[in-house]
């Protein structure tokens, strides 16, 4: 850390000189330094076994100039999309995490969004274990503060996605998942009481769909059934709320709500009389959305088509129990396949979050191999050194591997726990 502090002080001094004389040689030097961390350069120069530019970018996160930090974050993100950089992570993940969290306090909208994405990417890269747990715990307070104070829709969406990913990877206890889902809920219900499911009408469609998508990702880690839950009121409130979103004008909100509804009924298994009645009402709305007419001058025919297709699949699931089966090619002839709503929601979320880095991570990321039960071609297998393997294993590595393989479904087996206001009670279940 002494070396890192030395770099930081040196960079700060250079920036102070630049502010005194815009025409000085230092100014030119700093401009070159800032440009050095462009996305294009990282794409061309960073190699899997060469972390020198990553170290320089990490040093640049200490600089005062916001644009320098933004370029550095962009560079690191591109590098992590191209390779997992295990050795760099093992040495620097704590430093990188804290610098990203600092960006929440001092950064622009762009820097905060980049830092949010980097934290989520860092969690996916280190995989399940102690390091991911540390990322989650260290991030919760800064994330909460940033979500509460930010008025930017873009920032809120980035923070929600970050929160979903780091909880999905690092949340090994029911209380951790409960806490994250509660925080997500407060984004759209900032001033409402716990038992009030009325929607904040000021929340945008983009934020609503992001929140429902993030919430749904964490629902996929549950292992519950209607017939095992003594108090199903919270489940029912979730269904009521989500069904109300089916009437929203934004189709992206409708689709997110529809997928969440299908997911809840999938993990719930059988359901009681009250849920049967509610399901019938939901079914009527789902059928109408699967065949909604575009009307004259339909603004976005693609969104309409996506809505029809998705709700047709939801109707098929409700009527016949058949889930959409999806196959994604991962390099060559290797296929990643899903056959449940839980798997589909996980796949879509992770794929969207990683963007261009999705294929690379599916080829090399052992955590994702476990999550999706995917075996990459041998040529993509990454042989970890002994020190690197410690990143993926804690003293209870056998349990961790089982949790990861089954998407941590054991997380929600704690008695008497409720998963937020807009959630389900899954802690009172008993074995039948």
């Amino acid at each position: 850390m002494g070396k890192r502090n030395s770099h930081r002080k040196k960079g700060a001094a250079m920036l102070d000189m630049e502010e005194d004389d815009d025409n000085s040689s230092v100014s030119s030097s700093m401009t070159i330094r800032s440009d050095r961390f462009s996305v294009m350069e990282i794409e061309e120069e960073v190699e899997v076994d060469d972390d020198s530019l990553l170290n320089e970018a990490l040093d640049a996160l200490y600089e005062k100039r916001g644009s320098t930090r933004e370029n550095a974050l962009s560079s690191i993100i591109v590098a992590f999309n191209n390779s997992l950089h295990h050795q760099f992570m093992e040495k620097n993940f704590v430093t990188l995490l804290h610098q990203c969290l600092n960006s929440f306090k001092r950064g622009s909208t762009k820097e905060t969004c980049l830092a949010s994405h980097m934290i989520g990417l860092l969690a996916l890269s280190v995989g399940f274990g102690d390091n991911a747990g540390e990322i989650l715990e260290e991030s919760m307070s800064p994330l909460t503060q940033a979500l509460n104070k930010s008025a930017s829709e873009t920032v809120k969406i980035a923070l929600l996605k970050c929160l979903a990913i780091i909880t999905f990877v690092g949340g090994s206890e029911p209380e951790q998942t409960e806490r994250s889902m509660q925080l997500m809920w407060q984004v759209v219900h900032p001033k409402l009481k716990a038992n009030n499911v009325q929607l904040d009408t000021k929340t945008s469609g983009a934020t609503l769909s992001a929140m429902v998508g993030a919430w749904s990702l964490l629902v996929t880690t549950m292992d519950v059934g209607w017939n095992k839950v003594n108090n199903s009121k919270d489940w029912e409130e979730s269904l009521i709320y989500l069904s109300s979103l089916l009437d929203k004008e934004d189709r992206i909100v409708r689709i997110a709500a529809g997928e969440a509804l299908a997911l809840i009924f999938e993990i719930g298994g059988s359901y009681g009389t009250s849920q049967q009645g509610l399901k019938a009402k939901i079914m009527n709305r789902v059928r109408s959305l699967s065949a909604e007419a575009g009307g004259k001058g339909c603004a976005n025919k693609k969104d309409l088509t996506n809505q029809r297709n998705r709700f047709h699949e939801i109707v098929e699931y409700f009527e016949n129990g058949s889930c959409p089966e999806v196959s994604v090619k991962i390099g060559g002839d290797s296929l990643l396949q899903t056959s449940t709503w839980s798997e589909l929601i996980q796949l879509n979320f992770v794929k969207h979050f990683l963007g261009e880095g999705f294929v690379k991570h599916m080829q090399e990321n052992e955590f994702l191999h476990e999550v999706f039960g995917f075996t990459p071609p041998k040529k993509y297998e990454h042989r970890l050194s002994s020190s690197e393997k410690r990143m993926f294993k804690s003293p209870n590595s056998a349990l961790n591997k089982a949790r990861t393989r089954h998407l941590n479904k054991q997380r929600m087996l704690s008695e008497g726990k409720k998963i937020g206001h807009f959630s389900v009670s899954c802690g009172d279940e008993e074995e039948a």
Side-chain angles (χ1 to χ4, degrees):
M1 291 302 295
K3 180 180 179 181
R4 190 74 64 201
N5 288 335
S6 175
H7 279 291
R8 178 177 59 81
K9 292 177 180 178
K10 180 179 179 181
M14 293 176 69
L15 281 171
D16 290 340
M17 291 174 64
E18 177 187 354
E19 291 171 358
D20 293 337
D21 186 359
D22 290 339
N23 297 319
S24 67
S25 59
V26 175
S27 176
S28 298
S29 173
M30 289 307 299
T31 301
I32 294 173
R33 179 182 177 85
S34 177
D35 292 341
R36 181 172 176 77
F37 301 115
S38 66
V39 172
M40 183 64 70
E41 178 172 314
I42 288 294
E43 290 177 333
E44 294 175 351
E45 295 187 30
V46 168
E47 300 294 336
V48 173
D49 58 350
D50 183 5
D51 294 334
S52 60
L53 289 182
L54 276 173
N55 286 319
E56 292 185 33
L58 183 59
D59 286 337
L61 295 181
Y62 288 93
E63 302 291 6
K64 290 183 178 180
R65 179 186 285 180
S67 60
T68 300
R69 300 195 302 269
E70 290 171 5
N71 288 334
L73 283 168
S74 296
S75 300
I76 299 172
I77 288 171
V78 172
F80 271 66
N81 279 340
N82 291 335
S83 178
L84 269 67
H85 292 277
H86 296 291
Q87 293 181 352
F88 175 83
M89 284 192 298
E90 184 176 17
K91 295 177 182 178
N92 301 295
F93 96 91
V94 172
T95 302
L96 179 56
L97 170 63
H98 285 199
Q99 287 306 109
C100 288
L101 293 176
N102 285 338
S103 292
F104 291 174
K105 299 177 182 179
R106 62 178 181 172
S108 62
T109 295
K110 180 180 179 180
E111 183 177 348
T112 302
C113 291
L114 287 169
S116 300
H117 189 81
M118 187 63 241
I119 293 171
L121 189 57
L122 189 62
L124 283 174
S125 299
V126 302
F128 188 83
D130 293 341
N131 288 348
E134 183 174 351
I135 291 172
L136 175 60
E137 290 308 305
E138 291 293 318
S139 300
M140 281 307 301
S141 179
L143 268 171
T144 301
Q145 294 176 17
L147 276 170
N148 288 337
K149 75 176 185 179
S150 176
S152 167
E153 175 184 72
T154 303
V155 169
K156 285 184 178 180
I157 292 172
L159 293 170
L160 283 168
K161 292 178 180 179
C162 173
L163 179 60
I165 287 291
I166 64 175
T167 307
F168 181 70
V169 181
S172 59
E173 300 297 332
E175 293 83 359
Q176 293 173 312
T177 304
E178 174 185 1
R179 179 182 58 189
S180 294
M181 296 177 81
Q182 174 66 39
L183 182 55
M184 292 173 182
W185 178 237
Q186 290 174 349
V187 172
V188 297
H189 292 263
K191 298 180 180 179
L192 298 180
K193 295 181 179 180
N195 60 354
N196 191 335
V197 297
Q198 181 182 355
L199 180 65
D200 180 358
T201 56
K202 295 181 180 180
T203 305
S204 70
T207 301
L208 266 178
S209 61
M211 190 279 291
V212 174
W215 184 83
S216 297
L217 180 69
L218 300 188
V219 172
T220 66
T221 66
M222 298 179 182
D223 184 16
V224 297
W226 293 114
N227 56 330
K228 295 182 179 181
V229 180
N230 294 326
N231 180 8
S232 61
K233 181 180 179 181
D234 292 317
W235 279 108
E236 192 166 342
E237 287 181 352
S238 298
L239 292 170
I240 292 171
Y241 173 79
L242 290 168
S243 64
S244 72
L245 296 184
L246 298 179
D247 295 323
K248 294 292 289 183
E249 186 174 333
D250 295 327
R251 290 193 171 94
I252 57 171
V253 176
R254 298 177 187 174
I255 293 173
E259 291 175 343
L261 287 165
L263 172 64
I264 289 177
F265 280 105
E266 177 179 81
I267 67 172
S270 57
Y271 18 81
T273 303
S274 61
Q275 284 81 26
Q276 287 282 16
L278 180 57
K279 183 183 177 183
K281 295 179 180 179
I282 293 172
M283 274 295 302
N284 290 333
R285 182 57 178 153
V286 167
R287 285 195 188 95
S288 67
L289 292 174
S290 69
E292 183 181 17
K296 187 174 181 180
C298 180
N300 195 325
K301 294 183 179 180
K302 182 178 180 181
D303 283 350
L304 177 60
T305 300
N306 290 339
Q307 174 188 291
R308 288 171 176 168
N309 292 340
R310 181 58 85 213
F311 279 96
H312 176 74
E313 292 170 336
I314 295 172
V315 170
E316 285 292 312
Y317 171 70
F318 282 153
E319 293 183 344
N320 306 315
S322 58
C323 300
E325 296 184 356
V326 175
S327 296
V328 179
K329 185 174 289 188
I330 308 293
D333 297 327
S334 297
L335 292 177
L336 170 59
Q337 298 177 309
T338 69
S339 58
T340 66
W341 284 105
S342 291
E343 293 170 349
L344 179 59
I345 286 172
Q346 292 159 4
L347 173 62
N348 286 341
F349 196 99
V350 172
K351 185 178 179 182
H352 180 75
F353 185 86
L354 288 173
E356 294 180 356
F358 174 73
V359 171
K360 188 67 173 180
H361 273 257
M362 285 309 308
Q363 291 170 345
E364 297 184 0
N365 191 316
E366 292 189 353
F367 170 74
L368 294 182
H369 296 168
E370 294 292 342
V371 166
F372 293 109
F374 176 73
T375 302
K378 290 185 178 180
K379 66 178 180 179
Y380 294 117
E381 289 181 353
H382 178 73
R383 299 188 180 278
L384 302 177
S385 66
S386 297
S387 62
E388 289 173 334
K389 287 180 180 178
R390 289 198 297 270
M391 298 184 65
F392 295 94
K393 296 183 179 181
S394 63
N396 58 343
S397 58
L399 176 59
N400 287 345
K401 185 173 182 179
R403 285 175 176 171
T404 304
R405 185 184 301 279
H406 298 290
L407 306 170
N408 303 323
K409 287 185 177 180
Q410 293 90 342
R411 292 177 181 174
M412 307 313 300
L413 297 180
S414 174
E415 289 189 357
K417 301 298 181 183
K418 294 183 179 181
I419 310 303
H421 302 322
F422 163 21
S423 65
V424 294
S425 174
C426 57
D428 295 332
E429 58 184 349
E430 301 174 354
E431 292 298 326

